[in-house]
């Protein structure tokens, strides 16, 4: 049995014969696309852009350059951008954003209930997006049914990101500050005790001269006195005084370090710089009306033509079999 021919001429003739059907299907597809736009609830997308500052620029070793002068770039590199991107996709940041933006009120869910909290997190993850550009800035966006909500969430995401990113660098500094501060408190107690001891020893022996070898810039005068036990008293006073002087010197050094750490962890230092604040969008997010109609009409035209050609080809096959 010979296979029936179905060349380009047959295809064109078939489409011409069924052009009303093709046009009707295309029109119906476009109408359905327009109806879909009318029925579909509009969504709005707000975007915020920011730059990542170099956290090492505000470090203690950079602020108080005592040994070497080394250039530190203002802007963060790829490592810093990777860290911020990882934080932006973390549940820690997402949870703080949904709580700060009152998602339980906006979406009418119980945030304290595990299922309600999981539902709010799912809603946030669907609408939230993070994107890096080739200019080393980061864009965060949120899509919601309300334009004001979309803008609020995008801006709050940047704020929470900055606080979380900064806390990772200041947390260790705060621990070091607390550790040094505790040591200063211990030194204060030890210095007070040594001062009382040294004062009693001087009053008993009558030795009021400075005999501490730690005070190298002070010229020791003649020590008056004598008798049995005088030399031992001098040595004992020198031992106590040298220890006290060293503790006082250490305390001054620790207080200097405390001031440096307090400066480097100051909250006035921003680790993220907002360059484009999110505003409530005026136009809905998604394809335009023209694009929807063109796509729907193209799909209707394509499938109607395919359907017409397949049916015509099968009719030819049936004619040959008969």
């Amino acid at each position: 049995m010979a296979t029936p021919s179905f060349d380009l001429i047959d295809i064109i003739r078939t489409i011409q014969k069924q052009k009303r059907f093709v046009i009707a299907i295309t029109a119906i597809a476009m109408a359905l696309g327009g109806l879909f736009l009318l029925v579909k609830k509009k969504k709005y997308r707000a975007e915020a852009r920011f730059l990542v500052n170099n956290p090492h620029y505000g470090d203690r070793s950079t602020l108080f350059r005592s040994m070497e002068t080394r250039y530190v770039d203002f802007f963060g590199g790829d490592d810093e951008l990777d860290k911020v991107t990882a934080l932006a996709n973390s549940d820690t940041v997402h949870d703080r954003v949904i709580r700060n933006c009152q998602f339980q009120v906006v979406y009418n869910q119980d945030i304290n209930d595990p299922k309600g909290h999981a539902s709010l997190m799912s809603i946030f993850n669907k609408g939230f997006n993070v994107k890096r550009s080739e200019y080393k800035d980061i864009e965060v966006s949120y899509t919601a049914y309300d334009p004001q909500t979309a803008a609020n969430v995008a801006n709050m995401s940047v704020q929470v990101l900055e606080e979380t990113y900064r806390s990772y660098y200041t947390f260790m500094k705060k621990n070091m500050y607390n550790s040094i501060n505790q040591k200063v408190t211990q030194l204060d107690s030890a210095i007070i005790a040594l001062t009382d001891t040294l004062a009693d020893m001087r009053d008993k022996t009558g030795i009021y001269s400075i005999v501490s070898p730690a005070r190298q810039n002070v010229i020791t005068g003649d020590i008056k006195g004598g008798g049995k036990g005088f030399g031992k008293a001098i040595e004992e006073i020198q031992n106590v005084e040298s220890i006290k002087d060293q503790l006082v010197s250490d305390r001054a050094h620790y207080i200097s370090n405390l001031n440096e750490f307090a400066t480097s962890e100051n909250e006035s230092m921003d680790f993220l710089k907002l360059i484009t604040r999110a505003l409530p969008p005026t136009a809905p997010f998604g394809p335009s009306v023209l694009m929807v109609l063109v796509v729907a009409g193209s799909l209707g035209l394509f499938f109607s033509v395919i359907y017409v050609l397949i049916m015509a080809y099968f009719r030819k096959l049936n004619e040959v079999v008969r």
Side-chain angles (χ1 to χ4, degrees), residues 11-25 301 304-305 307-309 311-312 315:
I11 292 175
I12 295 175
R13 289 176 179 175
T14 302
I15 295 175
Q16 287 179 342
K17 291 179 180 180
Q18 300 292 334
K19 62 181 179 180
R20 292 184 178 179
F21 175 80
V22 173
I23 294 174
I25 296 298
L301 177 64
S304 61
V305 169
Y307 175 79
V308 167
L309 294 178
M311 295 302 296
R315 281 195 296 268

Side-chain angles (χ1 to χ4, degrees), residues 202 206-212 220-224 237 241:
R202 290 185 182 278
I207 302 173
Y208 295 100
S209 300
I210 299 175
V211 292
S212 173
T220 304
D222 295 333
I223 302 176
K224 299 179 180 180
I237 291 175
E241 190 173 359

Side-chain angles (χ1 to χ4, degrees), residues 89-103:
N89 292 315
S90 66
D91 289 341
T92 302
V93 172
H94 294 181
D95 179 72
R96 286 188 58 189
V97 173
I98 67 174
R99 292 181 184 274
N100 292 349
C101 292
Q102 300 293 316
F103 265 42

Side-chain angles (χ1 to χ4, degrees), residues 115-183:
K115 292 184 178 179
H117 183 268
S119 176
L120 292 176
M121 290 288 283
S122 177
I123 293 173
F124 180 85
N125 292 333
K126 290 179 181 178
F128 186 69
N129 187 43
V130 182
K131 184 173 61 176
R132 289 171 52 178
S133 73
E134 65 274 14
Y135 303 107
K136 290 189 176 181
D137 65 326
I138 297 179
E139 174 192 289
V140 293
S141 61
Y142 187 74
T143 305
Y145 294 114
D146 178 56
Q148 188 63 52
T149 300
N152 291 341
V153 174
N155 291 324
M156 181 57 67
S157 300
V158 178
Q159 178 181 335
V160 172
L161 263 176
E162 198 281 329
E163 295 173 355
T164 307
Y165 182 56
R166 173 158 40 88
S167 68
Y168 275 90
Y169 285 94
T170 59
F171 177 74
M172 183 59 66
K173 296 178 184 179
K174 290 181 179 179
N175 289 341
M176 297 171 70
Y177 179 92
N178 294 333
S179 178
I180 296 175
N181 195 33
Q182 292 176 4
K183 192 62 179 178

